[in-house]
């Protein structure tokens, strides 16, 4: 993806993004990007005050906040909420392109001082699980762990008593909602605030920054504000208050389009780099994750409840590996910071298959992320393969709508009662997917070589060779492994034959010659150095390995 605006974000800020240390704070300016009926325009903060002031017979306000406060005093809070809903087009406004691009970035937490529901609507449209937090008691509910926590600091128009909109509301905010202020301060101790849609005249900005200053004082981290075509005087005023401005070039008329493009570039940057700053604890997933995002992989991402993880590792993963896939879970990747969503988003983005048990808030949220990936692939014109999704369905009554369009594997509530049938059905689905993708995977190394990605072309070539050996040797009933003797797969599960053992089997059964095995072992060492030491690979070496693997695929087969 070519980038236009990424260069304007300082490198430390991009590092914070990848490390899960961004705290986006969305203000009223973001709502200017909403889609409205023809002829309608979302009001700016001064416009809001002018509209309300115009409904008085004789009154001259000193500003928008004064006008809002006077309106409530004169006509009551209920009428104020009704007028704000009308002026802000709550029933008619829908997320714009900037909202869509922003919500596609996998943040664990987003703050907003807006009264509207544009962010919630867009998260649900992706689809992505969103948990709006309005009241302090919601902060202790663990259900918010799945998806994005949307902290609505000033409430919204569906909760009139919680709304922070008048002078009295602003003045009493810290006293009335000390836990929210403390929660925000705790976030800002380790995270960098990134303000979107704020101006220095916005009382939301002043209120927000007063919370941070009161709680953290001079130890507060530097914040950033994303702006378009900002004036030098505005940049200077922000920086005097400890806020650095990311000033994107362009015209104010293209504000929404510029933000949308910038957010899209940030999302791709995060997906490109999250794995590189993470620690992958298993060897096989590490090799697959070293491939470019657009490369075909053998990764099979398992989204399963933690209480079933040990059973899957012992009974399911060995069989999955035998047919050429590489199982991976979120636990296999340790990412910096606490942005769990970014890690899972990256794994789903790079996997070719996903197996999901939708029995917890987390797995349901991950299922929604998988759907979002396929929707994005459909609409982008990308040549990437769609993510194959296998749903493990144990409760028909709780089955979400539309599930019939995915591969479904049945299991009983007591998985141990039907483990053999369940594993057999799951493996059958995976074999079907593997057979359909085999030829594509074999050609992937050549495509990467042609793109001059020599190092990853070697990784892909050896990966495809291992998959081919597992499919044609390790999983074949007419060959017996000296390392893992032929046994009942289900009664006594065993680990798949190591790569060296596969080569010995191939040599023993005359699928490969001794010279082939010697070359493959040398290629494997080059692959390992590329994975673990980031060693470069020359074009000549990459060509030898890619051509050599293709020659093996074209040579004698097991049936030949």
């Amino acid at each position: 993806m070519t980038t236009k605006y990424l260069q304007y974000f300082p490198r430390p800020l991009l590092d914070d993004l990848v490390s899960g240390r961004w705290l986006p704070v969305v203000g009223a300016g973001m709502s200017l990007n909403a889609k409205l009926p023809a002829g309608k325009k979302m009001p700016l903060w001064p416009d809001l005050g002018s509209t309300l002031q115009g409904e008085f017979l004789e009154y001259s306000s000193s500003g928008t906040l004064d006008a809002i406060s006077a309106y409530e005093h004169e006509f009551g809070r209920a009428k104020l909420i009704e007028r704000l809903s009308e002026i802000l087009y709550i029933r008619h406004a829908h997320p714009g392109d900037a909202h869509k691009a922003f919500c596609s970035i996998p943040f664990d937490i987003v703050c907003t001082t807006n009264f509207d529901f544009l962010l919630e609507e867009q998260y649900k449209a992706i689809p992505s699980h969103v948990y709006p937090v309005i009241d302090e008691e919601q902060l202790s509910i663990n259900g918010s762990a799945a998806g994005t926590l949307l902290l609505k600091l000033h409430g919204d128009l569906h909760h009139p008593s919680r709304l922070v909109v008048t002078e009295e509301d602003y003045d009493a905010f810290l006293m009335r909602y000390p836990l929210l202020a403390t929660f925000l301060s705790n976030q800002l101790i380790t995270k960098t605030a990134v303000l979107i849609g704020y101006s220095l005249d916005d009382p939301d900005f002043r209120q927000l920054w007063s919370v941070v200053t009161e709680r953290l004082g001079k130890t507060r981290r530097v914040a950033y504000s994303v702006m378009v075509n900002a004036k030098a005087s505005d940049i200077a005023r922000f920086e005097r208050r400890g806020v650095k401005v990311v000033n994107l070039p362009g015209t104010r008329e293209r504000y929404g389009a510029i933000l949308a493009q910038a957010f899209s570039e940030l999302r791709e940057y995060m997906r490109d780099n999250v794995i590189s700053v993470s620690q992958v604890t298993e060897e096989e997933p590490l090799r697959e994750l070293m491939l470019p995002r657009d490369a075909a992989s053998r990764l099979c991402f398992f989204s399963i409840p933690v209480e079933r993880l040990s059973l899957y590792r012992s009974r399911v993963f060995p069989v999955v590996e035998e047919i050429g896939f590489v199982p991976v879970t979120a636990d296999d990747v340790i990412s910096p910071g606490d942005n769990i969503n970014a890690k899972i988003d990256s794994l789903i983005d790079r996997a070719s298959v996903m197996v999901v048990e939708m029995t917890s808030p987390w797995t349901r949220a991950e299922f929604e992320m998988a759907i979002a990936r396929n929707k994005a692939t459909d609409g982008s014109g990308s040549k990437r393969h769609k993510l194959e999704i296998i749903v493990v369905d144990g409760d028909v009554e709780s089955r979400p709508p539309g599930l019939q369009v995915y591969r479904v594997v049945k299991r009983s509530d007591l998985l141990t009662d039907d483990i053999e049938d369940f594993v057999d059905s799951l493996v059958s689905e995976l074999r079907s997917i593997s057979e359909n993708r085999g030829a594509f995977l074999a050609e992937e190394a050549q495509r990467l070589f042609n793109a001059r990605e020599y190092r990853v072309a070697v990784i892909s070539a050896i990966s495809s060779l291992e998959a081919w050996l597992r499919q044609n040797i390790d999983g074949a009933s007419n060959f017996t492994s000296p390392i893992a003797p032929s046994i009942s797969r289900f009664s006594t599960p065993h680990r798949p034959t190591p790569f060296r053992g596969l080569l010995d089997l191939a040599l023993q059964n005359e699928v490969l010659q001794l010279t082939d095995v010697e070359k493959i072992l040398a290629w494997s060492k080059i692959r390992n150095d590329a994975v673990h030491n980031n060693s470069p690979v020359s074009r000549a070496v990459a060509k030898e390995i890619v051509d050599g693997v293709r020659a093996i695929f074209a040579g004698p087969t097991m049936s030949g």
Side-chain angles (χ1 to χ4, degrees):
M1 176 182 180
T2 57
T3 61
K4 183 176 181 181
Y5 300 108
L6 202 62
Q7 60 183 308
Y8 295 95
F9 290 82
R11 180 58 186 267
L13 185 57
L14 293 176
D15 291 343
D16 282 347
L17 174 71
V18 174
S19 299
R21 290 195 290 265
W22 268 35
L23 182 66
V25 186
V26 178
M30 185 69 165
S31 297
L32 295 176
N33 303 306
K35 291 184 178 179
L36 295 171
K40 303 296 183 182
K41 182 180 179 182
M42 190 68 74
L44 294 171
W45 181 252
D47 300 329
L48 184 60
S50 300
T51 300
L52 292 177
Q53 178 179 313
E55 298 182 14
F56 289 93
L57 293 178
E58 294 183 4
Y59 180 74
S60 177
S61 70
S62 60
T64 301
L65 187 58
D66 182 55
I68 294 174
S69 302
Y71 193 96
E72 182 193 49
H73 177 76
E74 185 71 20
F75 303 110
R77 196 169 185 89
K79 187 62 179 177
L80 172 64
I81 300 301
E82 291 175 1
R83 285 299 291 131
L84 289 176
S85 298
E86 294 169 359
I87 296 170
L88 297 175
Y89 303 104
I90 294 300
R91 296 183 180 178
H92 306 289
H94 297 288
D97 291 340
H99 291 93
K100 295 177 181 178
F102 173 81
C103 291
S104 71
I105 303 175
F107 294 118
D108 279 345
I109 179 171
V110 173
C111 293
T112 182
T113 52
N114 292 348
F115 310 141
D116 56 42
F117 308 94
L118 295 170
L119 291 174
E120 293 99 309
E121 183 179 341
Q122 180 53 42
Y123 276 118
K124 293 176 181 178
I126 289 177
S128 179
H129 184 73
V130 61
Y131 182 74
V133 171
I134 307 297
D135 295 315
E136 291 183 328
E137 56 264 29
Q138 291 178 273
L139 295 173
S140 63
I141 299 175
N142 291 328
S144 62
T148 299
L149 185 150
L150 180 62
L151 181 62
K152 306 197 79 171
L153 288 171
H154 289 170
D156 60 39
L157 290 168
H158 285 172
H159 300 82
S161 63
R162 173 63 181 82
L163 201 65
V164 179
V165 66
T166 66
E167 292 172 335
E168 180 184 0
D169 296 330
Y170 278 98
D171 292 342
F173 177 80
L174 291 178
M175 181 179 65
R176 289 178 180 172
Y177 310 108
L179 289 181
L180 280 176
T182 300
F183 179 79
L184 176 63
S185 300
N186 287 338
Q187 291 292 317
L188 289 169
I189 289 173
T190 57
K191 292 187 177 181
T192 299
V194 181
L195 310 180
I196 302 163
Y198 281 92
S199 72
L200 284 172
D201 297 327
D202 193 330
D204 286 341
F205 169 81
R206 294 180 179 276
Q207 176 67 26
L208 173 67
W209 213 232
S210 71
V211 172
V212 177
T213 301
E214 176 173 323
R215 300 292 168 137
L216 298 181
K218 294 182 178 180
T219 63
R220 70 187 182 195
R221 295 167 66 92
V222 173
Y224 291 83
S225 178
V226 180
M227 304 180 73
V228 174
N229 194 25
K231 298 178 181 178
S233 58
D234 288 338
I235 295 175
R237 292 170 65 197
F238 265 107
E239 292 197 350
R240 285 200 303 270
R241 291 165 173 80
V243 181
K244 300 287 185 180
V245 174
V246 177
N247 193 20
L248 304 180
T251 62
R252 299 291 179 87
E253 291 74 21
R254 296 194 65 251
Y255 177 68
I258 292 171
L259 284 185
Q261 178 65 25
F263 293 148
S264 295
E265 293 178 15
L266 289 169
R267 177 197 63 214
E268 295 305 301
Y269 184 86
M270 177 182 275
R271 287 177 173 172
D272 284 339
N273 292 279
V274 163
I275 297 299
S276 66
V277 299
S278 301
Q279 180 180 352
V280 184
T281 60
E282 298 291 331
E283 178 71 14
E284 288 300 315
L286 173 63
R287 293 170 180 170
E288 296 299 311
L289 289 169
M290 294 294 291
L291 299 174
R293 284 178 48 218
D294 62 347
S297 78
R298 297 189 291 131
L299 283 176
C300 179
F301 176 62
F302 280 82
S303 174
I304 51 181
V306 65
E307 63 269 17
R308 296 195 187 277
L309 183 57
S310 61
L311 186 144
Y312 270 83
R313 287 194 186 280
S314 63
R315 304 303 297 267
V316 177
F317 287 8
V319 188
V320 171
E321 292 173 355
E322 282 183 5
I323 60 175
F325 283 106
V326 176
V328 65
T329 72
D331 290 343
D332 296 328
V333 179
I334 303 172
S335 57
D338 56 359
N339 193 351
I340 301 173
N341 277 346
K343 175 179 69 173
I344 295 174
D345 174 80
S346 186
L347 289 173
I348 292 174
D349 179 67
R350 293 166 183 264
S352 60
V353 185
M354 176 176 176
V355 177
V356 55
E357 283 202 18
M358 291 186 292
T359 53
S360 73
W362 264 116
T363 56
R364 287 180 178 271
E366 290 163 14
F367 177 67
E368 291 178 346
M369 294 170 74
I371 296 175
R373 173 200 153 164
N374 282 343
K375 286 177 64 176
T377 301
D378 288 341
S380 66
S382 171
K383 295 182 179 180
R384 298 183 69 195
H385 272 234
K386 290 183 64 174
L387 176 68
E388 294 280 358
I389 301 175
I390 301 176
V391 178
V392 177
D393 185 20
D395 187 356
V396 176
E397 294 183 359
S398 65
R399 181 185 299 180
L403 196 60
Q404 62 272 15
V405 302
Y406 301 100
R407 299 171 184 262
V408 177
V409 175
K410 303 286 186 181
R411 69 155 178 79
S412 68
D413 289 336
L414 298 175
L415 191 57
T416 54
D417 289 347
D418 65 348
I419 181 65
E420 295 186 14
D421 291 340
F422 165 67
V423 174
D424 202 25
S425 298
L426 178 59
V427 169
S428 177
E429 292 291 347
L430 288 169
R431 284 191 188 279
S432 174
I433 296 171
S434 178
E435 291 170 0
N436 294 335
R437 291 176 56 85
F440 181 82
L441 187 64
E443 295 295 326
E444 188 63 13
Q446 185 65 53
R447 184 188 71 81
L448 292 169
F449 177 84
N450 293 341
R452 300 182 180 180
E453 298 277 358
Y454 302 131
R455 176 171 162 271
V456 292
V458 167
I459 297 173
S460 178
I462 302 302
S463 179
S464 63
L465 175 60
E466 183 173 352
W468 180 81
L469 289 171
R470 293 205 182 282
Q471 291 172 351
N472 290 283
I473 296 178
D474 200 28
S477 59
N478 57 324
F479 288 119
T480 301
S481 170
I483 298 174
S486 179
I487 55 177
S488 171
R489 168 182 304 155
F490 303 114
S491 60
T492 311
H494 61 275
R495 299 298 299 175
T497 306
F499 186 53
R500 177 57 191 263
L502 290 175
L503 296 178
D504 290 341
L505 279 174
L507 181 62
Q508 172 188 330
N509 292 281
E510 299 182 354
V511 174
L512 296 175
Q513 303 299 314
L514 180 59
T515 54
D516 295 326
V517 172
E518 291 173 346
K519 286 190 296 185
I520 292 172
L521 289 174
W523 297 343
S524 179
K525 184 179 185 304
I526 294 172
R527 187 272 308 271
N528 292 341
D529 286 341
V531 170
H532 295 288
N533 301 322
N534 204 27
S535 301
V537 177
S538 68
R539 182 183 186 280
V541 171
K543 179 174 175 56
E544 175 194 345
I545 295 175
V546 171
D547 288 349
V549 170
R550 288 169 61 89
I552 290 173
F553 288 163
T557 64
M558 291 180 53
S559 60

